Amino acid sequence: MKKIAIAGTGYVGLSNGLLLAQHNDVVALDIVPEKVEQLNRGISPIEDKEIEAYLPRLLKSSDDAAKASPGFRATLDKEEAYRGADFVVIATPTDYDPETNYFNTKSIEAVIRDVLEINPETVMVIKSTVPVGYVKRIKREFGIDNLLFSPEFLREGHALHDNLYPSRIIVGERSERAKVFAELLREGALKEEIPVLFTDSTEAEAIKLFANTYLAMRVAFFNELDSYAETHGLDTKQIIEGVGLDPRIGMHYNNPSFGYGGYCLPKDTKQLLANYAEIPNNMIRAIVDANRTRKDFIADQIISRLPRDEGGFPTGTVGIYRLVMKAGSDNFRSSAVQGIMKRLKAKGIDVIVYEPVLKEEKFFQSPVFRDLEAFKKRSDVIVANRMTDEIEEVREKVYTRDLYGKDS
C-alpha cells in the first residue's frame, strides 16, 4: 500500500484518486473549501455515475482519516496531502491560452514548487495534458529528476469507468518507478488484460495530443459527410452505414454533431497545431478549420428554419436545448453548441437556453429556462446536439444531426 496525493479534484484527479483509493491511502488536495467539504461528505461535485457510486464506499471516516489504510479523503492542507506521499499525481487544469498558443501550465508548476518544499523525494506524476517537451523542460528548469508524465484517456461523464476499464496504460518513463506506478493503475482496474506501454516523456506527451487529434479528425470527417448529405438532400445514415461496413473504418465514433467540443479535443488540437509551427502540415490545420466551418454551416441551417417577416428576414426564437456535451455529464466547457449560439446571436437571432444545471439567470445574455414546457412553447426552433425523450413530442420543432442517439 502507498500513500498517494492527488492535486486537483476535477474529472481526471477525482477518477484517478478513487481508482487508486481501492488499494492505497489517497489524499486529494483542492483549493475550494466547499468542494473539499462536499467530497468529505461522500458527495461528488461532478456528474459521473461511477464516481457517485465509488466515493461514499471509499471515503474514510474522520476517525480513520489519519490512519495509513486504503481509502479516500480530501483536504485543503498541502502539508497533509504531500507529507509522506510516495506519489503525487498532478491533475490541475491546463486550459489552452489563445494569447500564447500554449497550455497554461502555471498550476502544475505551482504544485511542483509546493511538493519540492514539503516532500522533495516523492515521485510526481503529471496527469494534466501538457505541451510536447514539457517534462524535459521542467526537469531542466527546476533541476529535478523525480517527475514523469502519464497521459489520461477518459470521457467526461464516464471518467472513472474509463479508468476501471482502460484502453491502455501509458507511462512516459522506462524505469522501475514507472513500472510501480503503472501497476498501481492496473491494480485498481476491473479490466484484466490491459496493454501497458512505457515510453520516453516527450513521446508520451505526443501520444496524448495525436490520439485526441485523430478522434477530432474522425468527428470532423463524419460531420463534413453530413454537411454534404444535408445540402444535397441525401440520407446521411445510409451513407455512413455503407462507409462504416468497411472494417478498416468501422461503425464507431461516427454520429454527426455540431462539432467536436468538451474539455480535451478543442484545446488538444490547437496545441498540436501550435507544435507544428515550424513543420509543414495541412491536415492538422484542416481539422481545426473544419470544426469552425461545421459550426458556421449548422448556424445557417438553423436560421433557414426560422419564420420570416414581410421583408424576408428571420424572426422568432431559437431555443438551445442543453449546453452539456454528453449524456451523463454536467460539464459544458467549450461545448460545440455554445459556438452555434454565439453565431446565431451575432446575426441578431433571439436565443434562449434550457439548462437545468445552470444556476445563473442568463448565459451569454440569453435567458436561461429551467421549466422545460415553457421553453418548448417559447421556442420556434429547438436546437439539440443529441435527441432525447424529453423533446420527442415537439420533434417537428427540433433541429439535430443526431442519428444514433449516442454521444459518438
Side-chain angles (χ1 to χ4, degrees), residues 189-317:
L190 296 178
K191 184 178 177 181
E192 293 190 1
E193 298 296 324
I194 306 168
V196 180
L197 178 65
F198 298 98
T199 70
D200 295 332
S201 63
T202 305
E203 282 75 4
E205 293 158 354
I207 287 167
K208 175 62 185 286
L209 296 186
F210 276 105
N212 275 349
T213 300
Y214 178 85
L215 294 176
M217 178 186 70
R218 189 167 172 112
V219 172
F221 175 85
F222 284 106
N223 280 343
E224 290 209 348
L225 183 159
D226 179 60
S227 294
Y228 180 89
E230 187 172 12
T231 300
H232 291 285
L234 305 178
D235 187 323
T236 300
K237 193 171 185 179
Q238 290 182 26
I239 300 171
I240 287 177
E241 289 179 354
V243 168
L245 285 172
D246 185 327
R248 295 170 299 177
I249 299 171
M251 288 298 295
H252 61 281
Y253 218 67
N254 60 2
N255 196 15
S257 66
F258 295 155
Y260 61 78
Y263 186 58
C264 290
L265 299 193
K267 71 186 182 88
D268 288 6
T269 52
K270 289 174 184 174
Q271 177 63 76
L272 186 59
L273 181 59
N275 285 133
Y276 264 87
E278 306 299 325
I279 302 169
N281 79 93
N282 294 109
M283 187 178 292
I284 308 300
R285 162 65 66 185
I287 293 166
V288 175
D289 290 345
N291 206 44
R292 190 179 303 114
T293 300
R294 173 65 169 180
K295 293 173 187 176
D296 291 339
F297 174 81
I298 292 293
D300 289 341
Q301 292 298 110
I302 293 165
I303 292 171
S304 73
R305 283 160 171 73
L306 284 168
R308 303 276 157 165
D309 63 17
E310 292 179 358
F313 295 101
T315 62
T317 299

Side-chain angles (χ1 to χ4, degrees), residues 164-192:
L164 292 168
Y165 299 92
S167 57
R168 70 277 209 198
I169 292 171
I170 297 175
V171 183
E173 190 173 276
R174 291 178 287 177
S175 65
E176 190 57 39
R177 67 190 183 187
K179 291 178 182 176
V180 170
F181 185 73
E183 177 58 24
L184 291 173
L185 298 177
R186 191 207 61 76
E187 180 185 39
L190 296 178
K191 184 178 177 181
E192 293 190 1

Side-chain angles (χ1 to χ4, degrees), residues 354-365:
Y354 173 73
E355 183 48 78
V357 304
L358 203 61
K359 293 179 173 63
E360 294 80 6
E361 295 304 314
K362 288 195 171 183
F363 185 80
F364 286 122
Q365 302 305 310

Side-chain angles (χ1 to χ4, degrees), residues 318-391:
V318 172
I320 304 295
Y321 173 76
R322 304 304 308 267
L323 296 168
V324 295
M325 276 298 297
K326 298 180 177 182
S329 170
D330 57 358
N331 182 23
F332 45 82
R333 290 175 295 186
S334 301
S335 64
V337 76
Q338 289 187 47
I340 308 302
M341 183 178 173
K342 291 174 185 176
R343 285 161 171 78
L344 294 173
K345 290 177 72 68
K347 295 186 178 184
I349 305 299
D350 182 40
V351 177
I352 63 173
V353 176
Y354 173 73
E355 183 48 78
V357 304
L358 203 61
K359 293 179 173 63
E360 294 80 6
E361 295 304 314
K362 288 195 171 183
F363 185 80
F364 286 122
Q365 302 305 310
S366 288
V368 174
F369 282 61
R370 295 178 190 84
D371 183 330
L372 182 58
E373 294 308 312
F375 169 80
K376 291 176 186 175
K377 288 177 183 175
R378 174 79 180 274
S379 303
D380 293 290
V381 176
I382 294 174
V383 176
N385 190 47
R386 293 293 177 247
M387 195 67 189
T388 72
D389 292 339
E390 279 190 331
I391 52 174

